[in-house]
Amino acid sequence: MAKIVGAITTSHVPAIGGAIAKGLQNEPYWKPFFDGFPPVRDWLAKVKPDVIVLVYNDHGLNFFLDKMPTFAVGAAPEYRNADEGWGIPTVAPFKGDPELSWHLIEQLVAEDFDLVTCQEMVVDHAFTLPMALCYPDTNWPVRVVPVCVNTVQAPLPSAARCYKLGQAIGRAIAKWPGDERVVVMGTGGLSHQLDGERAGFINKDFDLKFMDSMVHEPAWATRYSTTELVELSGTQGVELLNWMVARGTLPAKVEKKHANYYIPISNTASGLMVLEPAA
Ligand code: DHB
Ligand code: FE
């Protein structure tokens, strides 16, 4: 039986790619952010995942506003990174796991999640930068299954629906007959808003409460509508829906192995957590 050994939740910001390319990790602006990641890498070296199920939102590279699936799952043998226009260097392709992807898709559709299935898919910074932070040599030692959530264009799936999707992914992985060790990653958030009158909006109180809820009260954010979540966390802060999916894959009781929170990275309050199923 495949096993979820833990989850990593982290922000994704294009400027991180620029900082890596320029070697700015130890600059005062960046150091508190990058210093969050050595403990994550130590943890990964210990839990040794074979597969990462990576829950993120596409920013117009693979899906655009004309075609916007609520939930999409990759089922490709390989996922390439392409230039999104931020000017950050692209990274090596990621090896997929089509068999596990199709198992997930079949199980999720059987549980009434009507997914878009993607046998070809390019991946953007929300996928590649968290991977590069976890594996800085970008010589990926894992296979990947991308899960894309629409956090971009209304109507968005509710936090409750995202949490339930995570729970269904957890059940599907538990049913997979292989002996893979799986880490689920959720990327995006925490509070930020890039557009409109509130551009630059950050809500530290909400972020810290949300991070605490990941450990102690995982369904906490489901009390809010997506409109309320946008009000509380910003038009892009609502990417925290990807954290809800990742959290849903873990049991109710978890152990926090690591966390970091730092303001700002570009326009974003950056959050980072490593959670394991409680012993
Ligand atoms: C920024 C944050 C994001 O989540 C994103 O997708 C693009 C830009 C930012 O803070 O600059
Ligand atoms: Fe984003």
Side-chain angles (χ1 to χ4, degrees), residues 118-170:
C118 303
Q119 298 183 61
E120 284 182 21
M121 195 176 196
V122 283
V123 291
D124 74 6
H125 72 273
F127 188 109
T128 62
L129 294 177
M131 286 295 288
L133 290 162
C134 289
Y135 301 107
D137 67 1
T138 65
N139 188 9
W140 321 117
V142 289
R143 304 188 298 282
V144 297
V145 175
V147 176
C148 231
V149 177
N150 171 25
T151 68
V152 172
Q153 175 167 249
L156 310 182
S158 69
R161 185 71 174 151
C162 290
Y163 188 60
K164 284 180 189 159
L165 175 67
Q167 291 175 313
I169 291 172

Side-chain angles (χ1 to χ4, degrees), residues 209-278:
K209 172 65 205 169
F210 178 70
M211 286 177 75
D212 184 69
S213 79
M214 285 281 121
V215 183
H216 298 111
E217 200 184 351
W220 175 75
T222 66
R223 72 186 59 196
Y224 297 114
S225 69
T226 51
T227 307
E228 289 169 330
L229 287 173
V230 166
E231 277 166 15
L232 287 163
S233 71
T235 42
Q236 282 72 36
V238 76
E239 293 173 338
L240 63 78
L241 291 173
N242 303 323
W243 290 44
M244 291 302 288
V245 178
R247 180 60 184 89
T249 67
L250 299 179
K253 288 213 180 318
V254 295
E255 202 182 315
K256 180 173 81 177
K257 304 305 278 188
H258 176 60
N260 192 35
Y261 182 79
Y262 178 59
I263 299 172
I265 285 299
S266 188
N267 298 289
T268 297
S270 74
L272 170 65
M273 299 186 86
V274 177
L275 303 171
E276 261 182 23

